[in-house]
PDB file of all heavy atoms in Angstrom:
ATOM      1  N   GLY A 487     143.451 188.803  26.190  1.00  0.00           N
ATOM      2  CA  GLY A 487     143.305 190.246  26.040  1.00  0.00           C
ATOM      3  C   GLY A 487     144.545 190.957  26.572  1.00  0.00           C
ATOM      4  O   GLY A 487     145.671 190.594  26.224  1.00  0.00           O
ATOM      5  N   ASP A 489     145.661 190.760  29.499  1.00  0.00           N
ATOM      6  CA  ASP A 489     146.267 189.969  30.579  1.00  0.00           C
ATOM      7  C   ASP A 489     146.933 188.720  30.003  1.00  0.00           C
ATOM      8  O   ASP A 489     146.254 187.748  29.689  1.00  0.00           O
ATOM      9  CB  ASP A 489     145.171 189.578  31.588  1.00  0.00           C
ATOM     10  CG  ASP A 489     145.641 188.534  32.580  1.00  0.00           C
ATOM     11  OD1 ASP A 489     146.867 188.364  32.755  1.00  0.00           O
ATOM     12  OD2 ASP A 489     144.765 187.874  33.185  1.00  0.00           O
ATOM     13  N   GLY A 491     148.979 186.692  31.525  1.00  0.00           N
ATOM     14  CA  GLY A 491     149.308 185.689  32.540  1.00  0.00           C
ATOM     15  C   GLY A 491     150.810 185.642  32.760  1.00  0.00           C
ATOM     16  O   GLY A 491     151.496 186.662  32.662  1.00  0.00           O
ATOM     17  N   CYS A 493     154.690 185.127  32.072  1.00  0.00           N
ATOM     18  CA  CYS A 493     155.562 185.326  30.914  1.00  0.00           C
ATOM     19  C   CYS A 493     156.879 184.602  31.189  1.00  0.00           C
ATOM     20  O   CYS A 493     157.495 184.821  32.228  1.00  0.00           O
ATOM     21  CB  CYS A 493     155.792 186.824  30.725  1.00  0.00           C
ATOM     22  SG  CYS A 493     156.861 187.193  29.342  1.00  0.00           S
ATOM     23  N   LEU A 511     142.483 170.626  22.271  1.00  0.00           N
ATOM     24  CA  LEU A 511     141.462 169.866  22.992  1.00  0.00           C
ATOM     25  C   LEU A 511     140.101 170.031  22.324  1.00  0.00           C
ATOM     26  O   LEU A 511     139.368 169.052  22.125  1.00  0.00           O
ATOM     27  CB  LEU A 511     141.406 170.330  24.458  1.00  0.00           C
ATOM     28  CG  LEU A 511     140.299 169.715  25.301  1.00  0.00           C
ATOM     29  CD1 LEU A 511     140.458 168.197  25.417  1.00  0.00           C
ATOM     30  CD2 LEU A 511     140.272 170.349  26.698  1.00  0.00           C
ATOM     31  N   LEU A 515     137.729 166.990  20.824  1.00  0.00           N
ATOM     32  CA  LEU A 515     136.342 166.791  21.258  1.00  0.00           C
ATOM     33  C   LEU A 515     135.400 166.822  20.060  1.00  0.00           C
ATOM     34  O   LEU A 515     134.546 165.947  19.904  1.00  0.00           O
ATOM     35  CB  LEU A 515     135.956 167.859  22.293  1.00  0.00           C
ATOM     36  CG  LEU A 515     136.670 167.746  23.651  1.00  0.00           C
ATOM     37  CD1 LEU A 515     136.508 169.025  24.452  1.00  0.00           C
ATOM     38  CD2 LEU A 515     136.137 166.558  24.443  1.00  0.00           C
ATOM     39  N   GLU A 529     138.499 191.067  27.988  1.00  0.00           N
ATOM     40  CA  GLU A 529     138.814 192.231  28.835  1.00  0.00           C
ATOM     41  C   GLU A 529     138.986 191.843  30.306  1.00  0.00           C
ATOM     42  O   GLU A 529     139.873 192.345  30.967  1.00  0.00           O
ATOM     43  CB  GLU A 529     137.669 193.262  28.749  1.00  0.00           C
ATOM     44  CG  GLU A 529     137.362 193.763  27.350  1.00  0.00           C
ATOM     45  CD  GLU A 529     138.432 194.706  26.824  1.00  0.00           C
ATOM     46  OE1 GLU A 529     139.167 195.276  27.642  1.00  0.00           O
ATOM     47  OE2 GLU A 529     138.533 194.843  25.592  1.00  0.00           O
ATOM     48  N   HIS A 530     138.107 190.981  30.779  1.00  0.00           N
ATOM     49  CA  HIS A 530     138.056 190.716  32.215  1.00  0.00           C
ATOM     50  C   HIS A 530     137.618 189.278  32.469  1.00  0.00           C
ATOM     51  O   HIS A 530     136.824 188.736  31.697  1.00  0.00           O
ATOM     52  CB  HIS A 530     137.058 191.686  32.875  1.00  0.00           C
ATOM     53  CG  HIS A 530     137.231 191.791  34.345  1.00  0.00           C
ATOM     54  ND1 HIS A 530     136.713 190.869  35.216  1.00  0.00           N
ATOM     55  CD2 HIS A 530     137.888 192.696  35.113  1.00  0.00           C
ATOM     56  CE1 HIS A 530     137.022 191.207  36.461  1.00  0.00           C
ATOM     57  NE2 HIS A 530     137.744 192.310  36.428  1.00  0.00           N
ATOM     58  N   PHE A 532     135.573 188.199  34.535  1.00  0.00           N
ATOM     59  CA  PHE A 532     134.130 188.065  34.790  1.00  0.00           C
ATOM     60  C   PHE A 532     133.382 187.530  33.568  1.00  0.00           C
ATOM     61  O   PHE A 532     132.331 186.914  33.698  1.00  0.00           O
ATOM     62  CB  PHE A 532     133.517 189.417  35.180  1.00  0.00           C
ATOM     63  CG  PHE A 532     133.832 189.857  36.577  1.00  0.00           C
ATOM     64  CD1 PHE A 532     133.721 191.190  36.943  1.00  0.00           C
ATOM     65  CD2 PHE A 532     134.228 188.939  37.547  1.00  0.00           C
ATOM     66  CE1 PHE A 532     134.017 191.614  38.244  1.00  0.00           C
ATOM     67  CE2 PHE A 532     134.521 189.341  38.852  1.00  0.00           C
ATOM     68  CZ  PHE A 532     134.423 190.685  39.189  1.00  0.00           C
ATOM     69  N   THR A 587     150.883 161.182  31.272  1.00  0.00           N
ATOM     70  CA  THR A 587     151.158 161.511  29.871  1.00  0.00           C
ATOM     71  C   THR A 587     152.319 162.482  29.693  1.00  0.00           C
ATOM     72  O   THR A 587     153.088 162.367  28.740  1.00  0.00           O
ATOM     73  CB  THR A 587     149.883 162.113  29.216  1.00  0.00           C
ATOM     74  OG1 THR A 587     148.808 161.211  29.445  1.00  0.00           O
ATOM     75  CG2 THR A 587     150.061 162.327  27.727  1.00  0.00           C
ATOM     76  N   THR A 607     130.948 179.368  38.341  1.00  0.00           N
ATOM     77  CA  THR A 607     130.520 178.537  37.219  1.00  0.00           C
ATOM     78  C   THR A 607     129.469 177.550  37.697  1.00  0.00           C
ATOM     79  O   THR A 607     129.483 177.147  38.861  1.00  0.00           O
ATOM     80  CB  THR A 607     131.734 177.792  36.615  1.00  0.00           C
ATOM     81  OG1 THR A 607     132.575 177.339  37.688  1.00  0.00           O
ATOM     82  CG2 THR A 607     132.539 178.690  35.707  1.00  0.00           C
ATOM     83  N   GLN A 626     159.878 174.082  27.872  1.00  0.00           N
ATOM     84  CA  GLN A 626     160.195 173.291  26.668  1.00  0.00           C
ATOM     85  C   GLN A 626     159.033 172.353  26.319  1.00  0.00           C
ATOM     86  O   GLN A 626     158.579 172.291  25.175  1.00  0.00           O
ATOM     87  CB  GLN A 626     161.462 172.483  26.963  1.00  0.00           C
ATOM     88  CG  GLN A 626     162.006 171.685  25.804  1.00  0.00           C
ATOM     89  CD  GLN A 626     162.866 172.524  24.869  1.00  0.00           C
ATOM     90  OE1 GLN A 626     163.300 173.606  25.243  1.00  0.00           O
ATOM     91  NE2 GLN A 626     163.069 172.061  23.661  1.00  0.00           N
ATOM     92  N   GLU A 633     150.657 169.083  22.525  1.00  0.00           N
ATOM     93  CA  GLU A 633     149.697 167.994  22.282  1.00  0.00           C
ATOM     94  C   GLU A 633     149.675 166.997  23.434  1.00  0.00           C
ATOM     95  O   GLU A 633     148.661 166.339  23.666  1.00  0.00           O
ATOM     96  CB  GLU A 633     149.983 167.298  20.949  1.00  0.00           C
ATOM     97  CG  GLU A 633     151.253 166.475  20.875  1.00  0.00           C
ATOM     98  CD  GLU A 633     152.529 167.312  20.692  1.00  0.00           C
ATOM     99  OE1 GLU A 633     152.438 168.546  20.586  1.00  0.00           O
ATOM    100  OE2 GLU A 633     153.610 166.697  20.666  1.00  0.00           O
ATOM    101  N   LYS A 644     137.373 161.384  28.581  1.00  0.00           N
ATOM    102  CA  LYS A 644     136.823 160.081  28.168  1.00  0.00           C
ATOM    103  C   LYS A 644     136.635 159.167  29.382  1.00  0.00           C
ATOM    104  O   LYS A 644     135.616 158.486  29.509  1.00  0.00           O
ATOM    105  CB  LYS A 644     137.770 159.404  27.165  1.00  0.00           C
ATOM    106  CG  LYS A 644     137.602 159.906  25.745  1.00  0.00           C
ATOM    107  CD  LYS A 644     138.429 159.088  24.772  1.00  0.00           C
ATOM    108  CE  LYS A 644     139.902 159.355  24.964  1.00  0.00           C
ATOM    109  NZ  LYS A 644     140.757 158.635  24.017  1.00  0.00           N
TER     110      LYS A 644
END
Side-chain angles (χ1 to χ4, degrees):
D489 168 19
C493 179
L511 175 62
L515 292 165
E529 302 287 339
H530 198 279
F532 285 160
T587 307
T607 41
Q626 184 83 17
E633 69 282 358
K644 278 187 290 182

